[in-house]
Amino acid sequence: MGALSNIGPTAVAVWASAVVLFALIAVLRAVFKLNFSLLTVLALGLGIALSLVFDGQVDSLNLLGNIYINLITALVAPLIFVSIISSITYVGSLKKLRSIGLRSVGWLLLTNLIAIVMTLGVAIPLHIGSGVKLVDDESTAGFLTSQTAPLDQVILNFFPKNIVGDLSGNRVVPIIITATVLAIAIVSVGRQKDVSIVKRFFEQTKDVIYKAVGYVAELTPYAVVVLGATSTAATTSKADALLALLSILVLGFVLNIIQAFVVNGLLLKFVAHVSPLTFFKAVLPAQTTAFATQGSGAPRPRRQRPRGQRGGGAGRGRRTPPQRAAHRR
């Protein structure tokens, strides 16, 4: 039975309180121009407070939270697909693609290796997690069994067999592989034929999806109120079990912060020669949204204006590929 099928006085009060909090967020945003990241963090605090005030009886708000998550989920696969194709075709050189791809994979493996070594180096000496007992019952065993698969099946699942099914199932790795192969094919064909129409199609489709993602991302502070309230209710109902895992949770948060800001900051400073403060200031809204919603669908890339290109006139600065194609025609 759904949470809204049995509306009582408590549920009405919860919804009324949520509406008041939504109005407060709207005022802070429109009148006081509060920073998006601060507003999202504030919304998380308001959601936690809402759950505590009503003693965790906020199940009726699950509908709003699920609607937001569904909207984000619906856009993730198309966003990944067109973004990869657009980015690769924009580079336009297979030699550059090989160089960029190898370096990207190399740095991904390196940062993951650093994270693994750092975690083991801290967890093993401190005996983190010792004494924690997992619940051993049929439901838990069945769930764990359903999550396992033979290694060959795991590897096979990485590769696409039906792009429509992969997109509908949000299977990220097959989507990435399909988009990469298709983009490389477009670049290869572009050596002999004019594929500017295809490139423009994916570039403009990407812009449209970015705009749609932006609309959903604008709802993030309001959704975080709901998600914060419902998550807090679920957490407090299992407080005893969570206290036993508190050391693991704290270690996870601390090491994630070190990896995200200290390790990446050092790599940015000494390898990429980029100011860490400038970089983290630019990505903070996306990081805050991803943390608050526990997902990566809402944050979207913020397009930077190329050097030398100034606003106020289409003829100024460097032309984009669609503009160059239109100029040739």
Side-chain angles (χ1 to χ4, degrees):
M1 184 176 292
L4 293 182
S5 58
N6 232 344
I7 295 295
T10 301
V12 173
V14 168
W15 276 72
S17 300
V19 170
V20 172
L21 294 179
F22 293 163
L24 174 61
I25 291 174
V27 170
L28 291 174
R29 189 173 189 176
V31 178
F32 295 96
K33 309 295 182 184
L34 195 64
N35 178 273
F36 184 84
S37 301
L38 294 177
L39 194 62
T40 304
V41 174
L42 175 62
L44 182 61
L46 293 175
I48 294 173
L50 179 64
S51 178
L52 295 176
V53 168
F54 288 96
D55 197 23
Q57 299 181 39
V58 292
D59 291 345
S60 58
L61 294 178
N62 277 325
L63 175 65
L64 295 178
N66 290 335
I67 289 174
Y68 176 76
I69 296 298
N70 286 350
L71 289 173
I72 292 177
T73 304
L75 294 170
V76 169
L79 178 63
I80 294 173
F81 187 72
V82 299
S83 294
I84 290 176
I85 293 178
S86 177
S87 299
I88 292 177
T89 55
Y90 182 80
V91 173
S93 168
L94 293 179
K95 184 178 180 180
K96 289 182 180 179
L97 287 176
R98 282 195 296 268
S99 175
I100 294 172
L102 291 174
R103 282 186 292 175
S104 299
V105 172
W107 284 113
L108 177 63
L109 294 176
L110 176 62
T111 53
N112 277 275
L113 178 61
I114 293 173
I116 293 171
V117 172
M118 182 171 59
T119 302
L120 293 177
V122 174
I124 292 176
L126 296 179
H127 303 287
I128 297 295
S130 60
V132 175
K133 296 181 179 180
L134 295 176
V135 178
D136 186 12
D137 55 28
E138 292 184 2
S139 62
T140 304
F143 172 77
L144 293 176
T145 302
S146 67
Q147 300 304 305
T148 60
L151 178 60
D152 56 346
Q153 186 63 43
V154 173
I155 296 175
L156 180 62
N157 290 338
F158 285 159
F159 293 89
K161 62 178 179 180
N162 184 334
I163 184 57
V164 176
D166 293 333
L167 288 170
S168 63
N170 279 324
R171 291 187 282 271
V172 175
V173 175
I175 292 172
I176 292 175
I177 292 176
T178 302
T180 302
V181 172
L182 182 58
I184 292 175
I186 294 172
V187 173
S188 298
V189 173
R191 292 175 168 181
Q192 291 86 28
K193 299 181 180 180
D194 182 14
V195 292
S196 59
I197 295 178
V198 178
K199 291 182 178 179
R200 268 203 316 278
F201 169 77
F202 284 108
E203 177 68 23
Q204 293 173 355
T205 302
K206 182 189 70 174
D207 291 340
V208 171
I209 295 178
Y210 275 4
K211 180 63 70 173
V213 172
Y215 292 148
V216 177
E218 292 296 317
L219 301 175
T220 297
Y222 309 99
V224 167
V225 172
V226 175
L227 296 172
T230 54
S231 298
T232 302
T235 302
T236 53
S237 65
K238 301 177 181 178
D240 293 339
L242 288 176
L243 286 176
L245 299 173
L246 184 60
S247 59
I248 299 177
L249 295 174
V250 171
L251 177 66
F253 278 114
V254 171
L255 292 182
N256 271 291
I257 291 173
I258 294 175
Q259 176 74 14
F261 295 101
V262 178
V263 174
N264 289 340
L266 291 173
L267 292 175
L268 287 167
K269 177 67 175 178
F270 297 105
V271 178
H273 304 293
V274 174
S275 170
L277 292 178
T278 302
F279 176 84
F280 290 128
K281 183 178 179 181
V283 301
L284 184 60
Q287 286 181 321
T288 305
T289 303
F291 173 78
T293 61
Q294 300 181 30
S296 57
R300 70 189 192 278
R302 293 178 177 271
R303 304 183 66 178
Q304 301 294 332
R305 192 181 300 276
R307 291 183 179 181
Q309 180 177 344
R310 300 176 181 177
R316 294 183 179 178
R318 187 180 302 171
R319 288 191 178 99
T320 62
Q323 289 173 332
R324 288 198 296 267
H327 180 71
R328 287 196 299 269
R329 292 196 302 272

